[in-house]
Amino acid sequence: MQNSGINVLFEGSNFERLLGGLLVTMEIAFISIVIGTVLGIVMGLLRTLKSGPIRFVLRLYLETFRIIPILVWLYVVYFGFTPLLNVNISGELTAIIVFSLWGAAEIGDIVRGALESLPKHQVESGQALGLTYRQLYRHVLIPQAVRRMLPGSINLATRMIKTTSLVVLIGVVEVVKVGQQIIELGVIKAPAASFWVYGFIFILYFLVCYPLSRLSKRFERKWQN
Amino acid sequence: MNLDWEFIVESLPLYGEAMWLTLKIAFWAILFSLIVGLLCSIVLYYKVKGISGIIVAYTELSRNTPLLVQLYFLYYGFTKMGLHMSEMTCAIVGMTFLGGGYMTEAFRGGIEAVSKTQMESGVSLGLSKVQLARYVILPQAFAISVPSLGANAIFLLKETSIVGAIALLDVMNVAKDLIGMYYKTAESLILLVLAYLVLLLPLSILLTWVERKVRYAEFGD
C-alpha cells in the first residue's frame, strides 16, 4: 500500500501535538470536575433540607441541565454572554463555566441521592450513642455516603471528559482541532490522513475513559452489599 | 433586552425544518439502537462463543468515546477509505453505533435483574432455552429496562445536537448560521433553546408517565 497515511501520525511533532490537544480537554474536564464537585456537595446538602423553595429551585436547575443539550449551553454562554454582559470570554472559559455548572447539578443530585438513601437508623443509632452532630457526619454519614457516590461520580467524570470533545465547535484548540490542522496540512500528500488521525483520536478517548468506567464498575460491585 | 419579533417569526420556518430533521435522525437512531441493543443483549444472554466477546468490546468502545469523534471518524475518515455515505446516513449510522452500546447495557441490566427463581422455575417446567427467553425472561427484562431505555432515548435525542458538525442543517447549525449572518444573537439563541424544549419536554414527561405505568405493572402498587 503506497502511503497509507498512517505515517502522518508520527511525522514531525504530530504525535506530541495530538497528545497536547488531548491535555487541553483533560484540563478543562479536570478543572470543571473539581469546581463542580465543590459546588455540587453544597447543592446536594441544600437539597436535603426541608425548605420547599430551595428544593424547587435546585430541582429546576438540575432539570434544565438535563433537558437542554450541553452543546446548546456552550452556544448560549459563548455567543450569548458576549453581547449581553459586554464581556469577551474565551472558548476555554466558556467550557469551564458550562461544565462546572453541569457538574454541580449532577453531583448535587448524586450527593442528595446518597444522603437520602442512608437508612434512618444510622442517624438514630449515632444519636443514641451520644455522638455530636459533627461526629455523626464525620464518622457515620459521610463515609457511607461517599461509597454510594463514587460509582456515579466517576461515571459523570467520563461523561464530562467525552463531552469536552464538543469544545472544538466553539473554537477551542484541543485534540480534534489539532487533528483537523494536521489533516489540512497534509491534504495533498496524504489524503487518507483523516482516517488515521480521527481513528487515533477515537482510540485516545477510549484509552482515557475505559479505565475510569472499569473503576466505576468495580466500586459498584465491591460496595453493592 | 429588545427582541426583534419580526426576525423571530421569519426564522421560525427554518427552525421548524431543522427540528423535523432532528426528529427524523433521532427516530431512526433510536429505532436502530433498540434493535441493535436487543440483538446484542440476546447474544450476551445465550453467551454465544466468540460473538459475545466482540459485542462486549463494541459496547465498551461505543460507550467510552465521544459521538463527535465517532462521527468525524465515520464521515471524514471512512470516506477517505472509499466508503461513501450521505450526511444523513452517516449521522444515523454514527448515532446507532453510539446508541446501540447504551441500549445493549440497558437490556443486559434488565435481563440480569430478572430473579434467578424465574429462570429456575422455567427450567423445571421443561421450557427450552428459547421458550424461557421468549415467555419468561425477555418480557420481564423489558419492563425492568424501560426507564433506562427511555433515558437513553432522551440522551440520543439530545446527542443529535452534534450532527451539525458533519454539515447537516440541524437546529444548532441553523442558529449558528443566523447568528453569523444577522447578528441577532439573543433571538437565535432563545429560539435554539425553545426548539430543544419543544422536542424534549414532551418526551421527558411521557417517559415519567410510562415509568410509573411500568412500575405499576411490575409491582402492582
Side-chain angles (χ1 to χ4, degrees):
Chain A
M1 212 154 61
Q2 48 135 25
N3 198 2
S4 68
I6 194 168
N7 343 354
V8 84
L9 292 177
F10 306 103
E11 266 166 25
S13 57
N14 284 357
F15 194 75
E16 289 85 5
R17 284 178 62 205
L18 281 169
L19 290 183
L22 188 69
L23 207 64
V24 174
T25 62
M26 292 304 136
E27 267 170 25
I28 293 176
F30 182 75
I31 296 171
S32 314
I33 290 168
V34 171
I35 300 176
T37 306
V38 175
L39 287 178
I41 289 173
V42 176
M43 231 167 258
L45 289 173
L46 284 176
R47 282 188 63 193
T48 58
L49 296 178
K50 293 281 174 293
S51 156
I54 294 181
R55 287 174 79 121
F56 175 76
V57 169
L58 291 178
R59 183 70 203 271
L60 195 69
Y61 170 68
L62 172 70
E63 292 299 329
T64 44
F65 267 93
R66 285 216 172 135
I67 293 246
I68 307 287
I70 294 302
L71 185 56
V72 175
W73 281 115
L74 289 172
Y75 270 33
V76 166
V77 174
Y78 189 64
F79 295 114
F81 273 22
T82 317
L84 199 68
L85 304 175
N86 227 346
V87 285
N88 240 325
I89 53 174
S90 66
E92 281 91 342
L93 187 59
T94 304
I96 290 173
I97 292 173
V98 170
F99 287 128
S100 299
L101 290 177
W102 173 39
E106 294 281 1
I107 295 270
D109 201 47
I110 293 171
V111 170
R112 179 199 58 83
L115 286 176
E116 282 180 356
S117 75
L118 291 179
K120 252 212 176 71
H121 64 75
Q122 293 284 341
V123 178
E124 286 159 4
S125 328
Q127 282 170 338
L129 282 171
L131 297 182
T132 64
Y133 217 60
R134 228 174 106 184
Q135 285 172 323
L136 192 64
Y137 267 87
R138 163 96 177 66
H139 297 291
V140 181
L141 297 180
I142 292 175
Q144 293 187 65
V146 166
R147 285 180 166 208
R148 283 162 206 239
M149 280 171 56
L150 261 181
S153 311
I154 298 173
N155 268 336
L156 179 68
T158 63
R159 265 164 68 205
M160 284 174 96
I161 291 172
K162 280 189 291 171
T163 315
T164 48
S165 64
L166 297 184
V167 299
V168 67
L169 300 174
I170 55 166
V172 178
V173 181
E174 44 69 86
V175 62
V176 177
K177 187 77 206 168
V178 172
Q180 285 172 350
Q181 288 167 351
I182 291 173
I183 291 165
E184 274 163 30
L185 211 68
V187 74
I188 297 160
K189 218 173 56 188
S194 53
F195 180 82
W196 298 106
V197 171
Y198 286 129
F200 181 62
I201 295 172
F202 182 81
I203 302 291
L204 275 183
Y205 267 104
F206 180 72
L207 290 180
V208 173
C209 294
Y210 182 61
L212 280 176
S213 73
R214 279 301 293 268
L215 188 69
S216 137
K217 259 198 192 139
R218 222 166 96 199
F219 279 135
E220 219 165 285
R221 227 169 279 147
K222 190 170 149 200
W223 285 335
Q224 216 160 32
N225 309 312
Chain B
M1 195 161 50
N2 279 321
L3 292 180
D4 184 347
W5 289 101
E6 210 173 304
F7 175 80
I8 290 183
V9 173
E10 270 172 21
S11 42
L12 275 180
L14 271 177
Y15 278 92
E17 260 172 58
M19 282 162 75
W20 180 235
L21 180 83
T22 296
L23 269 183
K24 266 196 295 194
I25 295 175
F27 174 79
W28 291 115
I30 291 169
L31 184 69
F32 290 142
S33 299
L34 281 171
I35 296 171
V36 169
L38 189 61
L39 291 178
C40 288
S41 61
I42 288 174
V43 172
L44 288 178
Y45 168 71
Y46 284 120
K47 300 197 175 66
V48 183
K49 270 217 175 95
I51 310 178
S52 286
I54 296 171
I55 286 174
V56 170
Y58 156 66
T59 56
E60 295 296 349
L61 265 181
S62 71
R63 285 158 46 83
N64 286 307
T65 48
L67 177 63
L68 182 74
V69 176
Q70 294 171 0
L71 284 178
Y72 275 160
F73 189 38
L74 200 61
Y75 186 65
Y76 296 109
F78 275 86
T79 46
K80 285 289 181 302
M81 302 307 268
L83 186 80
H84 285 282
M85 282 187 285
S86 72
E87 288 88 0
M88 184 77 180
T89 318
C90 190
I92 294 172
V93 171
M95 293 196 59
T96 304
F97 177 82
L98 175 84
Y102 279 87
M103 294 296 189
T104 306
E105 283 289 297
F107 278 123
R108 197 185 54 85
I111 291 174
E112 275 178 10
V114 175
S115 69
K116 280 275 171 301
T117 51
Q118 294 283 335
M119 211 173 292
E120 286 157 7
S121 320
V123 172
S124 66
L125 280 173
L127 296 182
S128 72
K129 223 177 171 194
V130 175
Q131 285 175 321
L132 191 65
R134 164 80 183 73
Y135 295 108
V136 182
I137 307 298
L138 287 182
Q140 292 186 70
F142 187 73
I144 297 170
S145 12
V146 161
S148 41
L149 293 177
N152 287 345
I154 290 191
F155 164 72
L156 283 175
L157 188 52
K158 280 167 73 179
E159 289 285 287
T160 52
S161 57
I162 295 160
V163 299
I166 55 165
L168 273 166
L169 210 55
D170 77 322
V171 184
M172 297 302 300
N173 231 343
V174 166
K176 204 179 164 190
D177 279 356
L178 288 178
I179 293 172
M181 278 190 289
Y182 305 107
Y183 297 109
K184 302 274 185 204
T185 312
E187 288 86 348
S188 306
L189 290 176
I190 289 171
L191 283 171
L192 174 66
V193 173
L194 282 180
Y196 276 103
L197 283 182
V198 169
L199 286 172
L200 286 156
L201 265 185
L203 190 64
S204 166
I205 292 167
L206 178 79
L207 195 77
T208 322
W209 182 77
V210 170
E211 218 169 287
R212 215 172 294 145
K213 285 278 157 195
V214 170
R215 290 269 141 213
Y216 185 81
E218 206 179 320
F219 302 114
D221 59 5

